[in-house]
Amino acid sequence: KEIRKFITFHDLGSLSGGKRQDMNEKAMLIEGDRRDADDVRRAMKDCSAAFNLAAIADVRTGRDDIVYATNFLGAKNVFEVALAKKAKIIFTSSAAVYGNGEIPCMEGADCSPVSQYGKSKLRAEKYLVQLAPQDSYFIVRLFNVYGPGGSSAVNKLCKKITKYEDVLVYGNGLQTRDYVYVTDAVSALMLGLTNQGLYNVGTGQDISTISLIEMIRNMTRCKPDIYTRHGA
């Protein structure tokens, strides 16, 4: 089967969150911006399924209006074009829609996002549910994905610790996250081709920052110093 890849440009002149050399050799790279409906239509020509993964996740790197335009308006374009083409929609949402909810967290839990990222993802979810027939979409709320080529806390800590760089922990280090490996996340997304509904994708288990650091230190036998910083 032909594989198509549509890369969103947030910063003209550079691929945001991806590199050409990391692409599957069978993939087609279509340069454009998903905030432009014409670009989306061009990219999705003859597609039978649309995987919506593009988003600005780190809200520190962009203004709220840019996060909103990319995460919600961009997704809105993808949804509308996909429906017009009768293509299945696999939407990558986020556990950020729950805000500071407890782990494990079920799909029916209250959604109280605290970041613009979480708010934009939840708004896109609601728009898709209202817009599309139930059998035409599959929504996954990913928890913290890590793995090769990633930029999660796991990836960053592995790099720093194996280079014997000092590790700075904000707060007491007892804050917890649910980390899920990238291949498990991909497997969940692929289920969207033949399934429908809304699902959390995580391990259902949380781990504190301090415990994660100690796990990496023990596995790598690298023991850089750890410092804590409280407050802003």
Side-chain angles (χ1 to χ4, degrees), residues 54-77:
I56 296 178
D58 188 349
V59 296
R60 296 172 299 178
T61 63
R63 304 193 313 267
D64 283 355
D65 58 332
I66 296 178
V67 174
Y68 170 80
T70 302
N71 295 1
F72 174 66
L73 296 180
K76 180 175 177 288
N77 283 336

PDB file of all heavy atoms in Angstrom, residues 54-77:
ATOM      1  N   ALA A  54      -0.119  15.864  14.467  1.00  0.00           N
ATOM      2  CA  ALA A  54       0.569  17.147  14.582  1.00  0.00           C
ATOM      3  C   ALA A  54      -0.042  18.010  15.670  1.00  0.00           C
ATOM      4  O   ALA A  54      -1.254  18.100  15.799  1.00  0.00           O
ATOM      5  CB  ALA A  54       0.513  17.883  13.242  1.00  0.00           C
ATOM      6  N   ALA A  55       0.818  18.638  16.460  1.00  0.00           N
ATOM      7  CA  ALA A  55       0.356  19.550  17.513  1.00  0.00           C
ATOM      8  C   ALA A  55       1.557  20.254  18.124  1.00  0.00           C
ATOM      9  O   ALA A  55       2.685  19.774  18.031  1.00  0.00           O
ATOM     10  CB  ALA A  55      -0.409  18.795  18.595  1.00  0.00           C
ATOM     11  N   ILE A  56       1.305  21.395  18.732  1.00  0.00           N
ATOM     12  CA  ILE A  56       2.306  22.045  19.563  1.00  0.00           C
ATOM     13  C   ILE A  56       2.041  21.584  20.989  1.00  0.00           C
ATOM     14  O   ILE A  56       1.031  21.956  21.593  1.00  0.00           O
ATOM     15  CB  ILE A  56       2.220  23.577  19.465  1.00  0.00           C
ATOM     16  CG1 ILE A  56       2.552  24.039  18.037  1.00  0.00           C
ATOM     17  CG2 ILE A  56       3.185  24.235  20.464  1.00  0.00           C
ATOM     18  CD1 ILE A  56       2.448  25.534  17.840  1.00  0.00           C
ATOM     19  N   ALA A  57       2.924  20.760  21.518  1.00  0.00           N
ATOM     20  CA  ALA A  57       2.719  20.200  22.854  1.00  0.00           C
ATOM     21  C   ALA A  57       3.369  21.043  23.940  1.00  0.00           C
ATOM     22  O   ALA A  57       2.851  21.146  25.050  1.00  0.00           O
ATOM     23  CB  ALA A  57       3.262  18.774  22.904  1.00  0.00           C
ATOM     24  N   ASP A  58       4.509  21.633  23.615  1.00  0.00           N
ATOM     25  CA  ASP A  58       5.228  22.444  24.600  1.00  0.00           C
ATOM     26  C   ASP A  58       4.728  23.876  24.497  1.00  0.00           C
ATOM     27  O   ASP A  58       5.167  24.644  23.634  1.00  0.00           O
ATOM     28  CB  ASP A  58       6.734  22.376  24.343  1.00  0.00           C
ATOM     29  CG  ASP A  58       7.548  23.034  25.455  1.00  0.00           C
ATOM     30  OD1 ASP A  58       6.929  23.719  26.301  1.00  0.00           O
ATOM     31  OD2 ASP A  58       8.778  22.887  25.470  1.00  0.00           O
ATOM     32  N   VAL A  59       3.798  24.247  25.372  1.00  0.00           N
ATOM     33  CA  VAL A  59       3.180  25.576  25.277  1.00  0.00           C
ATOM     34  C   VAL A  59       4.148  26.691  25.622  1.00  0.00           C
ATOM     35  O   VAL A  59       3.869  27.865  25.374  1.00  0.00           O
ATOM     36  CB  VAL A  59       1.936  25.668  26.195  1.00  0.00           C
ATOM     37  CG1 VAL A  59       0.869  24.711  25.731  1.00  0.00           C
ATOM     38  CG2 VAL A  59       2.310  25.384  27.652  1.00  0.00           C
ATOM     39  N   ARG A  60       5.303  26.347  26.160  1.00  0.00           N
ATOM     40  CA  ARG A  60       6.290  27.386  26.471  1.00  0.00           C
ATOM     41  C   ARG A  60       6.932  27.945  25.217  1.00  0.00           C
ATOM     42  O   ARG A  60       7.533  29.010  25.236  1.00  0.00           O
ATOM     43  CB  ARG A  60       7.389  26.807  27.382  1.00  0.00           C
ATOM     44  CG  ARG A  60       6.888  26.367  28.751  1.00  0.00           C
ATOM     45  CD  ARG A  60       7.959  25.638  29.507  1.00  0.00           C
ATOM     46  NE  ARG A  60       8.381  24.424  28.805  1.00  0.00           N
ATOM     47  CZ  ARG A  60       9.346  23.617  29.227  1.00  0.00           C
ATOM     48  NH1 ARG A  60       9.971  23.881  30.357  1.00  0.00           N
ATOM     49  NH2 ARG A  60       9.661  22.533  28.532  1.00  0.00           N
ATOM     50  N   THR A  61       6.814  27.214  24.095  1.00  0.00           N
ATOM     51  CA  THR A  61       7.481  27.635  22.870  1.00  0.00           C
ATOM     52  C   THR A  61       6.565  28.419  21.942  1.00  0.00           C
ATOM     53  O   THR A  61       6.999  28.812  20.858  1.00  0.00           O
ATOM     54  CB  THR A  61       8.010  26.408  22.099  1.00  0.00           C
ATOM     55  OG1 THR A  61       6.898  25.592  21.703  1.00  0.00           O
ATOM     56  CG2 THR A  61       8.960  25.596  22.956  1.00  0.00           C
ATOM     57  N   GLY A  62       5.321  28.630  22.314  1.00  0.00           N
ATOM     58  CA  GLY A  62       4.420  29.334  21.418  1.00  0.00           C
ATOM     59  C   GLY A  62       3.332  30.085  22.150  1.00  0.00           C
ATOM     60  O   GLY A  62       2.971  29.756  23.282  1.00  0.00           O
ATOM     61  N   ARG A  63       2.806  31.129  21.521  1.00  0.00           N
ATOM     62  CA  ARG A  63       1.710  31.888  22.110  1.00  0.00           C
ATOM     63  C   ARG A  63       0.435  31.059  22.078  1.00  0.00           C
ATOM     64  O   ARG A  63       0.269  30.147  21.273  1.00  0.00           O
ATOM     65  CB  ARG A  63       1.504  33.192  21.340  1.00  0.00           C
ATOM     66  CG  ARG A  63       2.729  34.074  21.244  1.00  0.00           C
ATOM     67  CD  ARG A  63       2.335  35.463  20.748  1.00  0.00           C
ATOM     68  NE  ARG A  63       1.451  35.391  19.576  1.00  0.00           N
ATOM     69  CZ  ARG A  63       1.883  35.430  18.326  1.00  0.00           C
ATOM     70  NH1 ARG A  63       3.173  35.501  18.080  1.00  0.00           N
ATOM     71  NH2 ARG A  63       1.020  35.389  17.312  1.00  0.00           N
ATOM     72  N   ASP A  64      -0.523  31.435  22.946  1.00  0.00           N
ATOM     73  CA  ASP A  64      -1.777  30.696  23.027  1.00  0.00           C
ATOM     74  C   ASP A  64      -2.511  30.686  21.695  1.00  0.00           C
ATOM     75  O   ASP A  64      -3.124  29.682  21.322  1.00  0.00           O
ATOM     76  CB  ASP A  64      -2.680  31.309  24.103  1.00  0.00           C
ATOM     77  CG  ASP A  64      -2.239  30.930  25.506  1.00  0.00           C
ATOM     78  OD1 ASP A  64      -1.303  30.118  25.638  1.00  0.00           O
ATOM     79  OD2 ASP A  64      -2.835  31.447  26.475  1.00  0.00           O
ATOM     80  N   ASP A  65      -2.460  31.813  20.951  1.00  0.00           N
ATOM     81  CA  ASP A  65      -3.188  31.861  19.686  1.00  0.00           C
ATOM     82  C   ASP A  65      -2.579  30.927  18.652  1.00  0.00           C
ATOM     83  O   ASP A  65      -3.294  30.349  17.834  1.00  0.00           O
ATOM     84  CB  ASP A  65      -3.245  33.297  19.152  1.00  0.00           C
ATOM     85  CG  ASP A  65      -1.869  33.906  18.935  1.00  0.00           C
ATOM     86  OD1 ASP A  65      -0.918  33.499  19.633  1.00  0.00           O
ATOM     87  OD2 ASP A  65      -1.740  34.805  18.086  1.00  0.00           O
ATOM     88  N   ILE A  66      -1.259  30.737  18.700  1.00  0.00           N
ATOM     89  CA  ILE A  66      -0.600  29.824  17.755  1.00  0.00           C
ATOM     90  C   ILE A  66      -0.916  28.374  18.130  1.00  0.00           C
ATOM     91  O   ILE A  66      -1.164  27.532  17.267  1.00  0.00           O
ATOM     92  CB  ILE A  66       0.921  30.062  17.739  1.00  0.00           C
ATOM     93  CG1 ILE A  66       1.219  31.478  17.221  1.00  0.00           C
ATOM     94  CG2 ILE A  66       1.618  29.015  16.870  1.00  0.00           C
ATOM     95  CD1 ILE A  66       2.683  31.827  17.223  1.00  0.00           C
ATOM     96  N   VAL A  67      -0.902  28.085  19.435  1.00  0.00           N
ATOM     97  CA  VAL A  67      -1.250  26.737  19.899  1.00  0.00           C
ATOM     98  C   VAL A  67      -2.684  26.407  19.488  1.00  0.00           C
ATOM     99  O   VAL A  67      -2.973  25.320  18.981  1.00  0.00           O
ATOM    100  CB  VAL A  67      -1.092  26.627  21.429  1.00  0.00           C
ATOM    101  CG1 VAL A  67      -1.592  25.271  21.927  1.00  0.00           C
ATOM    102  CG2 VAL A  67       0.361  26.828  21.833  1.00  0.00           C
ATOM    103  N   TYR A  68      -3.590  27.365  19.682  1.00  0.00           N
ATOM    104  CA  TYR A  68      -4.992  27.169  19.313  1.00  0.00           C
ATOM    105  C   TYR A  68      -5.142  26.943  17.811  1.00  0.00           C
ATOM    106  O   TYR A  68      -5.846  26.014  17.376  1.00  0.00           O
ATOM    107  CB  TYR A  68      -5.807  28.395  19.746  1.00  0.00           C
ATOM    108  CG  TYR A  68      -7.215  28.429  19.215  1.00  0.00           C
ATOM    109  CD1 TYR A  68      -8.227  27.679  19.815  1.00  0.00           C
ATOM    110  CD2 TYR A  68      -7.536  29.200  18.100  1.00  0.00           C
ATOM    111  CE1 TYR A  68      -9.524  27.710  19.329  1.00  0.00           C
ATOM    112  CE2 TYR A  68      -8.831  29.232  17.607  1.00  0.00           C
ATOM    113  CZ  TYR A  68      -9.817  28.495  18.217  1.00  0.00           C
ATOM    114  OH  TYR A  68     -11.102  28.520  17.724  1.00  0.00           O
ATOM    115  N   ALA A  69      -4.474  27.780  17.018  1.00  0.00           N
ATOM    116  CA  ALA A  69      -4.599  27.676  15.558  1.00  0.00           C
ATOM    117  C   ALA A  69      -4.044  26.354  15.051  1.00  0.00           C
ATOM    118  O   ALA A  69      -4.616  25.731  14.153  1.00  0.00           O
ATOM    119  CB  ALA A  69      -3.881  28.844  14.888  1.00  0.00           C
ATOM    120  N   THR A  70      -2.943  25.907  15.618  1.00  0.00           N
ATOM    121  CA  THR A  70      -2.311  24.666  15.157  1.00  0.00           C
ATOM    122  C   THR A  70      -3.058  23.439  15.653  1.00  0.00           C
ATOM    123  O   THR A  70      -3.383  22.531  14.885  1.00  0.00           O
ATOM    124  CB  THR A  70      -0.848  24.610  15.638  1.00  0.00           C
ATOM    125  OG1 THR A  70      -0.148  25.749  15.145  1.00  0.00           O
ATOM    126  CG2 THR A  70      -0.162  23.342  15.133  1.00  0.00           C
ATOM    127  N   ASN A  71      -3.351  23.418  16.947  1.00  0.00           N
ATOM    128  CA  ASN A  71      -3.925  22.218  17.548  1.00  0.00           C
ATOM    129  C   ASN A  71      -5.415  22.051  17.282  1.00  0.00           C
ATOM    130  O   ASN A  71      -5.885  20.926  17.089  1.00  0.00           O
ATOM    131  CB  ASN A  71      -3.678  22.216  19.050  1.00  0.00           C
ATOM    132  CG  ASN A  71      -2.207  22.129  19.408  1.00  0.00           C
ATOM    133  OD1 ASN A  71      -1.351  22.093  18.526  1.00  0.00           O
ATOM    134  ND2 ASN A  71      -1.901  22.112  20.675  1.00  0.00           N
ATOM    135  N   PHE A  72      -6.162  23.148  17.296  1.00  0.00           N
ATOM    136  CA  PHE A  72      -7.594  23.029  17.064  1.00  0.00           C
ATOM    137  C   PHE A  72      -7.980  23.329  15.617  1.00  0.00           C
ATOM    138  O   PHE A  72      -8.583  22.478  14.946  1.00  0.00           O
ATOM    139  CB  PHE A  72      -8.390  23.944  17.989  1.00  0.00           C
ATOM    140  CG  PHE A  72      -9.861  23.942  17.655  1.00  0.00           C
ATOM    141  CD1 PHE A  72     -10.619  22.796  17.833  1.00  0.00           C
ATOM    142  CD2 PHE A  72     -10.464  25.061  17.115  1.00  0.00           C
ATOM    143  CE1 PHE A  72     -11.972  22.768  17.486  1.00  0.00           C
ATOM    144  CE2 PHE A  72     -11.818  25.060  16.777  1.00  0.00           C
ATOM    145  CZ  PHE A  72     -12.566  23.908  16.960  1.00  0.00           C
ATOM    146  N   LEU A  73      -7.638  24.504  15.108  1.00  0.00           N
ATOM    147  CA  LEU A  73      -8.046  24.856  13.753  1.00  0.00           C
ATOM    148  C   LEU A  73      -7.404  23.929  12.722  1.00  0.00           C
ATOM    149  O   LEU A  73      -8.033  23.558  11.723  1.00  0.00           O
ATOM    150  CB  LEU A  73      -7.687  26.311  13.457  1.00  0.00           C
ATOM    151  CG  LEU A  73      -8.408  27.362  14.325  1.00  0.00           C
ATOM    152  CD1 LEU A  73      -7.975  28.757  13.927  1.00  0.00           C
ATOM    153  CD2 LEU A  73      -9.919  27.201  14.213  1.00  0.00           C
ATOM    154  N   GLY A  74      -6.148  23.527  12.969  1.00  0.00           N
ATOM    155  CA  GLY A  74      -5.493  22.587  12.067  1.00  0.00           C
ATOM    156  C   GLY A  74      -6.191  21.243  12.067  1.00  0.00           C
ATOM    157  O   GLY A  74      -6.427  20.639  11.016  1.00  0.00           O
ATOM    158  N   ALA A  75      -6.538  20.760  13.270  1.00  0.00           N
ATOM    159  CA  ALA A  75      -7.263  19.488  13.373  1.00  0.00           C
ATOM    160  C   ALA A  75      -8.632  19.599  12.716  1.00  0.00           C
ATOM    161  O   ALA A  75      -9.095  18.666  12.045  1.00  0.00           O
ATOM    162  CB  ALA A  75      -7.411  19.090  14.839  1.00  0.00           C
ATOM    163  N   LYS A  76      -9.293  20.736  12.886  1.00  0.00           N
ATOM    164  CA  LYS A  76     -10.600  20.967  12.274  1.00  0.00           C
ATOM    165  C   LYS A  76     -10.518  20.820  10.754  1.00  0.00           C
ATOM    166  O   LYS A  76     -11.395  20.198  10.127  1.00  0.00           O
ATOM    167  CB  LYS A  76     -11.086  22.367  12.654  1.00  0.00           C
ATOM    168  CG  LYS A  76     -12.431  22.773  12.088  1.00  0.00           C
ATOM    169  CD  LYS A  76     -12.830  24.129  12.661  1.00  0.00           C
ATOM    170  CE  LYS A  76     -14.149  24.623  12.072  1.00  0.00           C
ATOM    171  NZ  LYS A  76     -14.008  25.060  10.671  1.00  0.00           N
ATOM    172  N   ASN A  77      -9.480  21.350  10.148  1.00  0.00           N
ATOM    173  CA  ASN A  77      -9.284  21.195   8.704  1.00  0.00           C
ATOM    174  C   ASN A  77      -9.141  19.734   8.314  1.00  0.00           C
ATOM    175  O   ASN A  77      -9.733  19.264   7.334  1.00  0.00           O
ATOM    176  CB  ASN A  77      -8.046  21.973   8.248  1.00  0.00           C
ATOM    177  CG  ASN A  77      -8.283  23.462   8.155  1.00  0.00           C
ATOM    178  OD1 ASN A  77      -9.415  23.914   7.991  1.00  0.00           O
ATOM    179  ND2 ASN A  77      -7.217  24.243   8.252  1.00  0.00           N
TER     180      ASN A  77
END
